[in-house]
Amino acid sequence: RLRGAPVTIRFVTNTTKECKRDLLERLTRLGFDIAENEIFTSLTAARNLLEQKQVRPLLLVDDKALPDFTGIATDDPNAVVVGLAPEHFHYEMMNKAFQ
């Protein structure tokens, strides 16, 4: 019914463990009729904010989430994006983030 209604449809999640493309593939396998542009994640919100503020982040996110940040400059970071990425939470990376 929603597809036939005059409304915009979005599938919203707070996951930071995977990029939109992987999430789309998983939802499609589960039988959802969904397009990538209908998915809005916390990574989508983070990317939008990075672009709006024009900052260069240190990305403390799972490697599977990195494709959602393609094209974002990360050299000489002046911001930090934190997601669920326990493998990146170690002294060296935390020191880098705090600097």
Side-chain angles (χ1 to χ4, degrees), residues 26-37:
R26 189 160 51 91
L27 291 172
T28 301
R29 281 194 311 272
L30 291 171
F32 284 86
D33 177 22
I34 183 173
E36 187 172 341
N37 67 345

Side-chain angles (χ1 to χ4, degrees), residues 39-60:
I39 299 172
F40 188 88
T41 71
S42 52
L43 298 175
T44 306
R47 183 188 177 104
N48 290 348
L49 186 60
L50 294 171
E51 290 175 334
Q52 177 187 14
K53 299 292 184 181
Q54 297 181 348
V55 294
R56 300 172 311 279
L58 171 66
L59 297 170
L60 291 177

